[in-house]
Amino acid sequence: PSPVTNYKSSNFKLIRDAVQTIFDAKTVPGIMVGNTDTRWYWDLSDQIFRFSPVKLTLMETKMFHGVNEKISTDALSNIVDFYKMLVMTENECSLDALNERSPLVT
């Protein structure tokens, strides 16, 4: 069985906050029934999130792994916005933590 990621972690909170901001939606832990490529990362991290930041219509979900698989340009734009926010927020948190440990002398 795959390892379980802590949904109370700061990493989950980063994802939750980005989802709330970009998609105006709640994020809750869940179970992914299919095995993913994450099995290759189990030895690298105990914080693996099986998540894709895309909002799809019911009709769009029927295209997964099928003919003419695609997403809308609006969905793609939201994915880009999500990852930009996630990276920028994590970067700010990392810089804040670094500055707390070793403040720059000016």
Side-chain angles (χ1 to χ4, degrees):
S2 62
V4 176
T5 301
N6 183 356
Y7 68 91
K8 294 181 180 179
S9 71
S10 60
N11 294 322
F12 182 84
K13 291 175 184 172
L14 284 170
I15 293 169
R16 179 199 64 202
D17 293 348
V19 167
Q20 178 65 43
T21 300
I22 303 301
F23 297 99
D24 191 28
K26 301 291 182 195
T27 305
V28 296
I31 296 174
M32 181 171 232
V33 293
N35 197 12
T36 66
D37 289 338
T38 62
R39 68 182 176 270
W40 304 112
Y41 301 101
W42 292 354
D43 292 335
L44 298 174
S45 176
D46 60 355
Q47 296 288 299
I48 298 174
F49 299 93
R50 295 154 183 91
F51 174 78
S52 183
V54 62
K55 187 175 182 179
L56 301 171
T57 66
L58 184 57
M59 185 63 136
E60 288 170 320
T61 63
K62 294 177 182 179
M63 289 187 282
F64 277 132
H65 306 303
V67 177
N68 202 20
E69 184 175 11
K70 62 186 174 191
I71 61 172
S72 69
T73 53
D74 287 340
L76 179 60
S77 178
N78 283 336
I79 292 170
V80 171
D81 290 344
F82 171 86
Y83 281 114
K84 281 177 22 183
M85 180 176 184
L86 192 70
V87 169
M88 293 175 73
T89 303
E90 173 57 25
N91 187 44
E92 288 171 10
C93 292
S94 296
L95 287 175
D96 289 345
L98 179 64
N99 288 335
E100 286 175 11
R101 284 185 296 226
S102 57
L104 296 174
V105 178
T106 56

